[in-house]
Amino acid sequence: MEKLLSILKEIRPDVDFANEQDLIGSGILDSLDIMEIVAEIGDAFGITLSPADIVPANFHSAQALWEMICRKQG
């Protein structure tokens, strides 16, 4: 999880990812942020995200992202 938080902080240093629970609904992340996150976590965690993975539920919070990464890693 620390690695993920570090990646997120590099992309958006102004956001408190450890505590924010509605990254999509509150408009904190836009589509460009999401695409950058997808690329970075793919490289960092050795996973490939399909279009089916790129849904708001997986990007609401750092915890939701972490759970998706864990599922993809098996």
Side-chain angles (χ1 to χ4, degrees):
M1 181 72 154
E2 290 303 315
K3 187 176 186 179
L4 172 61
L5 289 173
S6 176
I7 290 167
L8 295 172
K9 267 300 194 202
E10 286 179 26
I11 294 169
R12 290 290 307 272
D14 58 316
V15 177
D16 180 9
F17 287 101
N19 295 308
E20 183 60 54
Q21 296 299 310
D22 193 16
L23 297 168
I24 302 297
S26 60
I28 293 171
L29 295 179
D30 62 24
S31 58
L32 294 177
D33 294 327
I34 291 170
M35 295 313 296
E36 190 171 353
I37 291 167
V38 167
E40 291 293 329
I41 65 174
D43 291 343
F45 295 98
I47 60 174
T48 301
L49 298 178
S50 70
D53 296 315
I54 305 171
V55 295
N58 288 333
F59 291 84
H60 276 302
S61 65
Q63 183 62 40
L65 275 162
W66 182 246
E67 290 169 6
M68 176 185 63
I69 290 166
C70 290
R71 283 192 308 273
K72 297 300 281 185
Q73 288 180 326

